[in-house]
Amino acid sequence: MLNDCAVGNNGALTMESGSGLVASSPSTANRCASIFNVGHGARLDDAAVFDCTSHSNDLEGFHIMRTVVIDGCAVRANGESGIGLDTGMTLFYPEALIIRNCAVNLNGSNGVSILDACGSLIADNVIGANSAAGIEVRRDCAVVGNHCWANENG
């Protein structure tokens, strides 16, 4: 489902069964919705998404493959983490990942799970009532100004 969805930067933005929204090479998506997918709500590979919604998907709301900006999005009620980095990858550059101004809640695992991205920024999000940690990071990330509440593990 792409409603009022604008795409820029000559990137690729498609819908596919199993992963909903697929944004890559580099692309920008504005005001998109990806809901009720069997797989991920959105799979992001060198993309930026603004004011998008991803909810009620069987897997992660936003599944990150490579450099991504997620800004002003609502990510809720997904079967796994709300926002998750592909754990088979390691990102080592400062612009690796920016997650800001998002509402991330009621997901089946972590709200935000970034295990292998150095130099990332997770800022000014509201993250609550997720079934595991609100924010889980394992490398050097800037985590500032987030409001985390009622997550299973903080």
PDB file of all heavy atoms in Angstrom, residues 81-113:
ATOM      1  N   SER A  81      11.295  -6.846  15.603  1.00  0.00           N
ATOM      2  CA  SER A  81      11.695  -5.488  15.977  1.00  0.00           C
ATOM      3  C   SER A  81      10.987  -4.465  15.098  1.00  0.00           C
ATOM      4  O   SER A  81      10.706  -4.719  13.930  1.00  0.00           O
ATOM      5  CB  SER A  81      13.212  -5.320  15.820  1.00  0.00           C
ATOM      6  OG  SER A  81      13.897  -6.129  16.734  1.00  0.00           O
ATOM      7  N   GLY A  82      10.739  -3.300  15.691  1.00  0.00           N
ATOM      8  CA  GLY A  82      10.150  -2.220  14.904  1.00  0.00           C
ATOM      9  C   GLY A  82      11.099  -1.791  13.795  1.00  0.00           C
ATOM     10  O   GLY A  82      10.741  -1.722  12.629  1.00  0.00           O
ATOM     11  N   ILE A  83      12.364  -1.509  14.176  1.00  0.00           N
ATOM     12  CA  ILE A  83      13.408  -1.109  13.232  1.00  0.00           C
ATOM     13  C   ILE A  83      14.622  -1.973  13.520  1.00  0.00           C
ATOM     14  O   ILE A  83      15.105  -2.000  14.652  1.00  0.00           O
ATOM     15  CB  ILE A  83      13.771   0.380  13.392  1.00  0.00           C
ATOM     16  CG1 ILE A  83      12.541   1.267  13.148  1.00  0.00           C
ATOM     17  CG2 ILE A  83      14.915   0.758  12.451  1.00  0.00           C
ATOM     18  CD1 ILE A  83      12.750   2.731  13.487  1.00  0.00           C
ATOM     19  N   GLY A  84      15.122  -2.687  12.517  1.00  0.00           N
ATOM     20  CA  GLY A  84      16.255  -3.580  12.748  1.00  0.00           C
ATOM     21  C   GLY A  84      17.246  -3.561  11.620  1.00  0.00           C
ATOM     22  O   GLY A  84      16.876  -3.510  10.453  1.00  0.00           O
ATOM     23  N   LEU A  85      18.532  -3.581  11.990  1.00  0.00           N
ATOM     24  CA  LEU A  85      19.609  -3.673  11.008  1.00  0.00           C
ATOM     25  C   LEU A  85      19.881  -5.131  10.716  1.00  0.00           C
ATOM     26  O   LEU A  85      19.941  -5.950  11.627  1.00  0.00           O
ATOM     27  CB  LEU A  85      20.880  -3.018  11.564  1.00  0.00           C
ATOM     28  CG  LEU A  85      22.127  -3.159  10.703  1.00  0.00           C
ATOM     29  CD1 LEU A  85      21.986  -2.351   9.422  1.00  0.00           C
ATOM     30  CD2 LEU A  85      23.352  -2.691  11.466  1.00  0.00           C
ATOM     31  N   ASP A  86      20.076  -5.456   9.460  1.00  0.00           N
ATOM     32  CA  ASP A  86      20.446  -6.804   9.057  1.00  0.00           C
ATOM     33  C   ASP A  86      21.697  -7.210   9.835  1.00  0.00           C
ATOM     34  O   ASP A  86      22.765  -6.641   9.664  1.00  0.00           O
ATOM     35  CB  ASP A  86      20.730  -6.826   7.556  1.00  0.00           C
ATOM     36  CG  ASP A  86      21.026  -8.207   7.035  1.00  0.00           C
ATOM     37  OD1 ASP A  86      21.187  -9.138   7.850  1.00  0.00           O
ATOM     38  OD2 ASP A  86      21.084  -8.363   5.809  1.00  0.00           O
ATOM     39  N   THR A  87      21.573  -8.179  10.721  1.00  0.00           N
ATOM     40  CA  THR A  87      22.666  -8.525  11.622  1.00  0.00           C
ATOM     41  C   THR A  87      23.826  -9.218  10.917  1.00  0.00           C
ATOM     42  O   THR A  87      24.865  -9.411  11.508  1.00  0.00           O
ATOM     43  CB  THR A  87      22.165  -9.419  12.772  1.00  0.00           C
ATOM     44  OG1 THR A  87      21.526 -10.567  12.212  1.00  0.00           O
ATOM     45  CG2 THR A  87      21.198  -8.668  13.647  1.00  0.00           C
ATOM     46  N   GLY A  88      23.684  -9.549   9.669  1.00  0.00           N
ATOM     47  CA  GLY A  88      24.799 -10.114   8.927  1.00  0.00           C
ATOM     48  C   GLY A  88      25.720  -9.048   8.354  1.00  0.00           C
ATOM     49  O   GLY A  88      26.734  -9.347   7.754  1.00  0.00           O
ATOM     50  N   MET A  89      25.373  -7.773   8.522  1.00  0.00           N
ATOM     51  CA  MET A  89      26.157  -6.679   7.955  1.00  0.00           C
ATOM     52  C   MET A  89      26.768  -5.842   9.058  1.00  0.00           C
ATOM     53  O   MET A  89      26.237  -5.765  10.151  1.00  0.00           O
ATOM     54  CB  MET A  89      25.261  -5.758   7.121  1.00  0.00           C
ATOM     55  CG  MET A  89      24.600  -6.408   5.950  1.00  0.00           C
ATOM     56  SD  MET A  89      23.702  -5.185   5.017  1.00  0.00           S
ATOM     57  CE  MET A  89      25.026  -4.122   4.516  1.00  0.00           C
ATOM     58  N   THR A  90      27.872  -5.180   8.770  1.00  0.00           N
ATOM     59  CA  THR A  90      28.468  -4.216   9.680  1.00  0.00           C
ATOM     60  C   THR A  90      28.681  -2.918   8.922  1.00  0.00           C
ATOM     61  O   THR A  90      29.308  -2.907   7.868  1.00  0.00           O
ATOM     62  CB  THR A  90      29.819  -4.722  10.218  1.00  0.00           C
ATOM     63  OG1 THR A  90      29.608  -5.984  10.839  1.00  0.00           O
ATOM     64  CG2 THR A  90      30.394  -3.755  11.233  1.00  0.00           C
ATOM     65  N   LEU A  91      28.143  -1.824   9.445  1.00  0.00           N
ATOM     66  CA  LEU A  91      28.301  -0.504   8.839  1.00  0.00           C
ATOM     67  C   LEU A  91      29.296   0.282   9.674  1.00  0.00           C
ATOM     68  O   LEU A  91      29.148   0.382  10.878  1.00  0.00           O
ATOM     69  CB  LEU A  91      26.960   0.226   8.794  1.00  0.00           C
ATOM     70  CG  LEU A  91      25.828  -0.500   8.075  1.00  0.00           C
ATOM     71  CD1 LEU A  91      24.539   0.305   8.169  1.00  0.00           C
ATOM     72  CD2 LEU A  91      26.176  -0.759   6.627  1.00  0.00           C
ATOM     73  N   PHE A  92      30.333   0.871   9.040  1.00  0.00           N
ATOM     74  CA  PHE A  92      31.403   1.516   9.790  1.00  0.00           C
ATOM     75  C   PHE A  92      31.637   2.977   9.419  1.00  0.00           C
ATOM     76  O   PHE A  92      32.722   3.471   9.581  1.00  0.00           O
ATOM     77  CB  PHE A  92      32.725   0.770   9.563  1.00  0.00           C
ATOM     78  CG  PHE A  92      32.821  -0.511  10.317  1.00  0.00           C
ATOM     79  CD1 PHE A  92      32.756  -1.712   9.658  1.00  0.00           C
ATOM     80  CD2 PHE A  92      32.957  -0.518  11.698  1.00  0.00           C
ATOM     81  CE1 PHE A  92      32.858  -2.906  10.345  1.00  0.00           C
ATOM     82  CE2 PHE A  92      33.050  -1.703  12.395  1.00  0.00           C
ATOM     83  CZ  PHE A  92      32.998  -2.901  11.720  1.00  0.00           C
ATOM     84  N   TYR A  93      30.693   3.688   8.888  1.00  0.00           N
ATOM     85  CA  TYR A  93      30.935   5.070   8.525  1.00  0.00           C
ATOM     86  C   TYR A  93      29.906   5.958   9.208  1.00  0.00           C
ATOM     87  O   TYR A  93      28.807   5.526   9.536  1.00  0.00           O
ATOM     88  CB  TYR A  93      30.925   5.263   7.007  1.00  0.00           C
ATOM     89  CG  TYR A  93      29.944   4.395   6.271  1.00  0.00           C
ATOM     90  CD1 TYR A  93      28.692   4.864   5.949  1.00  0.00           C
ATOM     91  CD2 TYR A  93      30.288   3.087   5.917  1.00  0.00           C
ATOM     92  CE1 TYR A  93      27.801   4.058   5.278  1.00  0.00           C
ATOM     93  CE2 TYR A  93      29.386   2.277   5.247  1.00  0.00           C
ATOM     94  CZ  TYR A  93      28.149   2.777   4.931  1.00  0.00           C
ATOM     95  OH  TYR A  93      27.267   1.975   4.280  1.00  0.00           O
ATOM     96  N   PRO A  94      30.260   7.235   9.453  1.00  0.00           N
ATOM     97  CA  PRO A  94      29.436   8.093  10.309  1.00  0.00           C
ATOM     98  C   PRO A  94      27.991   8.253   9.850  1.00  0.00           C
ATOM     99  O   PRO A  94      27.095   8.375  10.659  1.00  0.00           O
ATOM    100  CB  PRO A  94      30.157   9.438  10.271  1.00  0.00           C
ATOM    101  CG  PRO A  94      31.560   9.104   9.918  1.00  0.00           C
ATOM    102  CD  PRO A  94      31.489   7.882   9.044  1.00  0.00           C
ATOM    103  N   GLU A  95      27.763   8.256   8.564  1.00  0.00           N
ATOM    104  CA  GLU A  95      26.398   8.439   8.078  1.00  0.00           C
ATOM    105  C   GLU A  95      25.661   7.109   7.933  1.00  0.00           C
ATOM    106  O   GLU A  95      24.680   6.993   7.217  1.00  0.00           O
ATOM    107  CB  GLU A  95      26.393   9.193   6.751  1.00  0.00           C
ATOM    108  CG  GLU A  95      26.978   8.433   5.581  1.00  0.00           C
ATOM    109  CD  GLU A  95      28.499   8.491   5.495  1.00  0.00           C
ATOM    110  OE1 GLU A  95      29.163   8.833   6.464  1.00  0.00           O
ATOM    111  OE2 GLU A  95      29.013   8.184   4.421  1.00  0.00           O
ATOM    112  N   ALA A  96      26.137   6.085   8.631  1.00  0.00           N
ATOM    113  CA  ALA A  96      25.594   4.737   8.475  1.00  0.00           C
ATOM    114  C   ALA A  96      24.085   4.687   8.674  1.00  0.00           C
ATOM    115  O   ALA A  96      23.379   4.044   7.920  1.00  0.00           O
ATOM    116  CB  ALA A  96      26.281   3.779   9.434  1.00  0.00           C
ATOM    117  N   LEU A  97      23.593   5.355   9.692  1.00  0.00           N
ATOM    118  CA  LEU A  97      22.191   5.176  10.028  1.00  0.00           C
ATOM    119  C   LEU A  97      21.711   6.337  10.893  1.00  0.00           C
ATOM    120  O   LEU A  97      22.385   6.712  11.850  1.00  0.00           O
ATOM    121  CB  LEU A  97      22.029   3.864  10.790  1.00  0.00           C
ATOM    122  CG  LEU A  97      20.653   3.461  11.258  1.00  0.00           C
ATOM    123  CD1 LEU A  97      19.721   3.280  10.074  1.00  0.00           C
ATOM    124  CD2 LEU A  97      20.746   2.176  12.059  1.00  0.00           C
ATOM    125  N   ILE A  98      20.564   6.900  10.536  1.00  0.00           N
ATOM    126  CA  ILE A  98      19.935   7.939  11.355  1.00  0.00           C
ATOM    127  C   ILE A  98      18.486   7.549  11.556  1.00  0.00           C
ATOM    128  O   ILE A  98      17.748   7.345  10.582  1.00  0.00           O
ATOM    129  CB  ILE A  98      20.015   9.320  10.683  1.00  0.00           C
ATOM    130  CG1 ILE A  98      21.475   9.742  10.506  1.00  0.00           C
ATOM    131  CG2 ILE A  98      19.236  10.353  11.494  1.00  0.00           C
ATOM    132  CD1 ILE A  98      21.662  10.992   9.679  1.00  0.00           C
ATOM    133  N   ILE A  99      18.100   7.415  12.814  1.00  0.00           N
ATOM    134  CA  ILE A  99      16.700   7.161  13.177  1.00  0.00           C
ATOM    135  C   ILE A  99      16.301   8.281  14.121  1.00  0.00           C
ATOM    136  O   ILE A  99      16.854   8.404  15.213  1.00  0.00           O
ATOM    137  CB  ILE A  99      16.532   5.799  13.872  1.00  0.00           C
ATOM    138  CG1 ILE A  99      17.005   4.666  12.970  1.00  0.00           C
ATOM    139  CG2 ILE A  99      15.073   5.589  14.295  1.00  0.00           C
ATOM    140  CD1 ILE A  99      17.124   3.327  13.675  1.00  0.00           C
ATOM    141  N   ARG A 100      15.356   9.120  13.706  1.00  0.00           N
ATOM    142  CA  ARG A 100      14.985  10.254  14.553  1.00  0.00           C
ATOM    143  C   ARG A 100      13.510  10.617  14.384  1.00  0.00           C
ATOM    144  O   ARG A 100      12.899  10.359  13.346  1.00  0.00           O
ATOM    145  CB  ARG A 100      15.881  11.457  14.257  1.00  0.00           C
ATOM    146  CG  ARG A 100      15.719  11.989  12.872  1.00  0.00           C
ATOM    147  CD  ARG A 100      16.622  13.181  12.593  1.00  0.00           C
ATOM    148  NE  ARG A 100      16.533  13.470  11.158  1.00  0.00           N
ATOM    149  CZ  ARG A 100      17.536  13.781  10.391  1.00  0.00           C
ATOM    150  NH1 ARG A 100      18.733  13.879  10.884  1.00  0.00           N
ATOM    151  NH2 ARG A 100      17.340  14.016   9.112  1.00  0.00           N
ATOM    152  N   ASN A 101      12.970  11.187  15.451  1.00  0.00           N
ATOM    153  CA  ASN A 101      11.588  11.707  15.465  1.00  0.00           C
ATOM    154  C   ASN A 101      10.544  10.656  15.134  1.00  0.00           C
ATOM    155  O   ASN A 101       9.525  10.961  14.523  1.00  0.00           O
ATOM    156  CB  ASN A 101      11.459  12.894  14.494  1.00  0.00           C
ATOM    157  CG  ASN A 101      12.445  13.987  14.786  1.00  0.00           C
ATOM    158  OD1 ASN A 101      12.622  14.381  15.935  1.00  0.00           O
ATOM    159  ND2 ASN A 101      13.116  14.480  13.763  1.00  0.00           N
ATOM    160  N   CYS A 102      10.782   9.414  15.527  1.00  0.00           N
ATOM    161  CA  CYS A 102       9.852   8.328  15.224  1.00  0.00           C
ATOM    162  C   CYS A 102       9.096   7.888  16.471  1.00  0.00           C
ATOM    163  O   CYS A 102       9.566   8.059  17.592  1.00  0.00           O
ATOM    164  CB  CYS A 102      10.607   7.126  14.647  1.00  0.00           C
ATOM    165  SG  CYS A 102      11.370   7.440  13.041  1.00  0.00           S
ATOM    166  N   ALA A 103       7.936   7.301  16.260  1.00  0.00           N
ATOM    167  CA  ALA A 103       7.179   6.621  17.313  1.00  0.00           C
ATOM    168  C   ALA A 103       7.268   5.131  17.021  1.00  0.00           C
ATOM    169  O   ALA A 103       6.846   4.674  15.957  1.00  0.00           O
ATOM    170  CB  ALA A 103       5.724   7.074  17.302  1.00  0.00           C
ATOM    171  N   VAL A 104       7.868   4.383  17.963  1.00  0.00           N
ATOM    172  CA  VAL A 104       8.128   2.958  17.759  1.00  0.00           C
ATOM    173  C   VAL A 104       7.544   2.216  18.951  1.00  0.00           C
ATOM    174  O   VAL A 104       8.088   2.278  20.050  1.00  0.00           O
ATOM    175  CB  VAL A 104       9.648   2.683  17.640  1.00  0.00           C
ATOM    176  CG1 VAL A 104       9.901   1.214  17.349  1.00  0.00           C
ATOM    177  CG2 VAL A 104      10.286   3.562  16.568  1.00  0.00           C
ATOM    178  N   ASN A 105       6.410   1.529  18.752  1.00  0.00           N
ATOM    179  CA  ASN A 105       5.770   0.886  19.898  1.00  0.00           C
ATOM    180  C   ASN A 105       5.009  -0.377  19.535  1.00  0.00           C
ATOM    181  O   ASN A 105       4.710  -0.629  18.374  1.00  0.00           O
ATOM    182  CB  ASN A 105       4.849   1.880  20.620  1.00  0.00           C
ATOM    183  CG  ASN A 105       3.828   2.499  19.702  1.00  0.00           C
ATOM    184  OD1 ASN A 105       3.150   1.810  18.963  1.00  0.00           O
ATOM    185  ND2 ASN A 105       3.717   3.808  19.721  1.00  0.00           N
ATOM    186  N   LEU A 106       4.792  -1.189  20.559  1.00  0.00           N
ATOM    187  CA  LEU A 106       3.971  -2.403  20.485  1.00  0.00           C
ATOM    188  C   LEU A 106       4.520  -3.447  19.517  1.00  0.00           C
ATOM    189  O   LEU A 106       3.765  -4.220  18.926  1.00  0.00           O
ATOM    190  CB  LEU A 106       2.523  -2.058  20.122  1.00  0.00           C
ATOM    191  CG  LEU A 106       1.796  -1.133  21.095  1.00  0.00           C
ATOM    192  CD1 LEU A 106       0.473  -0.679  20.513  1.00  0.00           C
ATOM    193  CD2 LEU A 106       1.614  -1.812  22.438  1.00  0.00           C
ATOM    194  N   ASN A 107       5.843  -3.484  19.334  1.00  0.00           N
ATOM    195  CA  ASN A 107       6.450  -4.465  18.438  1.00  0.00           C
ATOM    196  C   ASN A 107       6.785  -5.747  19.188  1.00  0.00           C
ATOM    197  O   ASN A 107       6.953  -5.748  20.405  1.00  0.00           O
ATOM    198  CB  ASN A 107       7.701  -3.864  17.782  1.00  0.00           C
ATOM    199  CG  ASN A 107       7.316  -2.723  16.861  1.00  0.00           C
ATOM    200  OD1 ASN A 107       6.715  -2.943  15.821  1.00  0.00           O
ATOM    201  ND2 ASN A 107       7.645  -1.500  17.262  1.00  0.00           N
ATOM    202  N   GLY A 108       6.906  -6.867  18.477  1.00  0.00           N
ATOM    203  CA  GLY A 108       7.080  -8.179  19.072  1.00  0.00           C
ATOM    204  C   GLY A 108       8.463  -8.464  19.612  1.00  0.00           C
ATOM    205  O   GLY A 108       8.676  -9.487  20.248  1.00  0.00           O
ATOM    206  N   SER A 109       9.423  -7.581  19.378  1.00  0.00           N
ATOM    207  CA  SER A 109      10.771  -7.744  19.917  1.00  0.00           C
ATOM    208  C   SER A 109      11.254  -6.361  20.340  1.00  0.00           C
ATOM    209  O   SER A 109      10.519  -5.623  20.984  1.00  0.00           O
ATOM    210  CB  SER A 109      11.687  -8.390  18.865  1.00  0.00           C
ATOM    211  OG  SER A 109      12.968  -8.657  19.422  1.00  0.00           O
ATOM    212  N   ASN A 110      12.490  -5.976  19.987  1.00  0.00           N
ATOM    213  CA  ASN A 110      13.011  -4.655  20.336  1.00  0.00           C
ATOM    214  C   ASN A 110      12.303  -3.553  19.554  1.00  0.00           C
ATOM    215  O   ASN A 110      11.867  -3.779  18.425  1.00  0.00           O
ATOM    216  CB  ASN A 110      14.507  -4.583  20.030  1.00  0.00           C
ATOM    217  CG  ASN A 110      15.300  -5.604  20.811  1.00  0.00           C
ATOM    218  OD1 ASN A 110      15.139  -5.727  22.019  1.00  0.00           O
ATOM    219  ND2 ASN A 110      16.153  -6.338  20.130  1.00  0.00           N
ATOM    220  N   GLY A 111      12.267  -2.380  20.158  1.00  0.00           N
ATOM    221  CA  GLY A 111      11.775  -1.233  19.398  1.00  0.00           C
ATOM    222  C   GLY A 111      12.735  -0.905  18.271  1.00  0.00           C
ATOM    223  O   GLY A 111      12.375  -0.876  17.105  1.00  0.00           O
ATOM    224  N   VAL A 112      14.009  -0.653  18.633  1.00  0.00           N
ATOM    225  CA  VAL A 112      15.073  -0.387  17.676  1.00  0.00           C
ATOM    226  C   VAL A 112      16.216  -1.346  17.992  1.00  0.00           C
ATOM    227  O   VAL A 112      16.686  -1.391  19.127  1.00  0.00           O
ATOM    228  CB  VAL A 112      15.566   1.073  17.764  1.00  0.00           C
ATOM    229  CG1 VAL A 112      16.729   1.312  16.815  1.00  0.00           C
ATOM    230  CG2 VAL A 112      14.431   2.047  17.476  1.00  0.00           C
ATOM    231  N   SER A 113      16.673  -2.089  17.016  1.00  0.00           N
ATOM    232  CA  SER A 113      17.738  -3.074  17.209  1.00  0.00           C
ATOM    233  C   SER A 113      18.832  -2.832  16.180  1.00  0.00           C
ATOM    234  O   SER A 113      18.671  -3.158  15.007  1.00  0.00           O
ATOM    235  CB  SER A 113      17.178  -4.490  17.063  1.00  0.00           C
ATOM    236  OG  SER A 113      18.179  -5.437  17.289  1.00  0.00           O
TER     237      SER A 113
END
